[in-house]
Amino acid sequence: MPAAEVSVSVDLVRRLLDEQHPDLTGLPVEVLANGWDNLVCRLGEEFLVRLPRRAVAASLVAHEQRWLPELAGRLPLPVPAPVRVGQPTAQYPWSWSVVPFFPGRIAARSEPDDLWSAAATLGGFLDALHAPAPSAAPVNPARGIPLAGRAKGVLTGLAHVDLNDRNTALQIWETAAAAPVWDGPPMWLHGDLHPANVLVHRGRISAVIDFGDITSGDPATDLSVAWMLFTAEQRAALRQAYGRADDATWERARGWALALSLVFLSHSADNPLMRGIGERTFRAVLE
């Protein structure tokens, strides 16, 4: 995991709240996660504080602060649109957020009770999200792009898998990469939609979180989640609920699932959760 570029702690969260949002200072603060990009703290019963620990993460938080309030109202599932925005100070260099706390566990740890219903729910969510994005929308050099831009990483990743799997995966990749490219307008994308960014509460998908990679481009990028959570039959339910994935888009989505599975497998030596997602996705792509 990358080292923090600034010192982040519960004490820092308390000081920032004291200075900028004093009405929240009486709420208890406890660390919920200290990840690659952010320190996430529970703040009372209703909120979380997201504090970037690296400069690259600060720009991702800024994207959430700018765009999620505009998108949240038209989405059928809750998303963590900030309820408060923290400003940089002399003791901390970046913007930070107070966001709603959503109950539940990530789908990577707690699958929905009914995966067919969950597939339809996620398909409907993506249908609502994937609307044409404005020209000012964030641009991500690695997501939402033509699959050709992922070829180098895929070929590098395939060099480290079993030879029999490698040959099959290479054929799948070549088919996906040969599919017609997205020729519609750039669509709003979550950008990092995988089972650790989907919440499940009381057996049902209840929220979609972590929009730091929000971007625009080819919707096939997000549709790759179909191979991360579901069987072939359940993927068909997601596609039906989504309602507008033609064969070329669905083929590219499979290619994205392969590309992302190799990323998860290659960069998860210290993260068994993401390795598990990578292994499951890779197996599903090869079915």
Side-chain angles (χ1 to χ4, degrees), residues 5 22 34 44 53-54 59 72 88 124 138-139 193 235 274 283 287:
E5 295 170 8
N34 195 358
R53 59 196 293 279
R54 301 191 297 148
S59 64
V139 175
L193 191 57
R235 289 195 291 275
M274 294 308 296
R283 291 287 115 197
E287 285 178 355

Side-chain angles (χ1 to χ4, degrees), residues 45-63:
E45 295 296 317
E46 299 182 22
F47 305 116
L48 299 175
V49 177
R50 283 168 59 83
L51 212 66
R53 59 196 293 279
R54 301 191 297 148
V56 65
S59 64
L60 304 185
V61 166
H63 292 161

Side-chain angles (χ1 to χ4, degrees), residues 152-233:
K152 182 178 179 181
V154 168
L155 296 178
T156 299
L158 286 176
H160 300 286
V161 304
D162 177 81
L163 181 59
N164 291 329
D165 288 341
R166 186 186 314 161
N167 292 335
T168 302
L170 183 58
Q171 292 175 5
I172 291 168
W173 171 253
E174 290 174 345
T175 299
V181 300
W182 174 250
D183 61 359
M187 301 299 233
W188 274 120
L189 307 177
H190 179 282
D192 192 27
L193 191 57
H194 54 65
N197 285 335
V198 175
L199 287 187
V200 175
H201 183 53
R202 295 178 178 172
R204 301 174 66 88
I205 290 180
S206 57
V208 176
I209 60 174
D210 198 350
F211 279 73
D213 283 311
I214 189 170
T215 186
S216 60
D218 182 357
T221 303
D222 282 352
L223 289 168
S224 63
V225 73
W227 282 262
M228 299 181 191
L229 270 172
F230 304 117
T231 65
E233 294 81 5

Side-chain angles (χ1 to χ4, degrees), residues 250-280:
W250 202 243
E251 195 64 62
R252 293 195 309 276
R254 190 184 188 190
W256 272 102
L258 175 59
L260 294 171
S261 74
L262 293 170
V263 171
F264 299 154
L265 289 171
S266 299
H267 298 280
S268 57
D270 59 351
N271 192 331
L273 179 76
M274 294 308 296
R275 181 164 189 86
I277 294 172
E279 289 171 347
R280 175 172 179 168

Side-chain angles (χ1 to χ4, degrees), residues 8-30:
V8 289
S9 64
V10 166
D11 182 61
L12 174 62
V13 170
R14 290 196 176 107
R15 294 200 308 270
L16 291 172
L17 289 170
D18 285 343
E19 292 177 6
Q20 300 184 33
H21 301 283
D23 58 312
L24 301 179
T25 56
L27 299 175
V29 180
E30 61 178 325

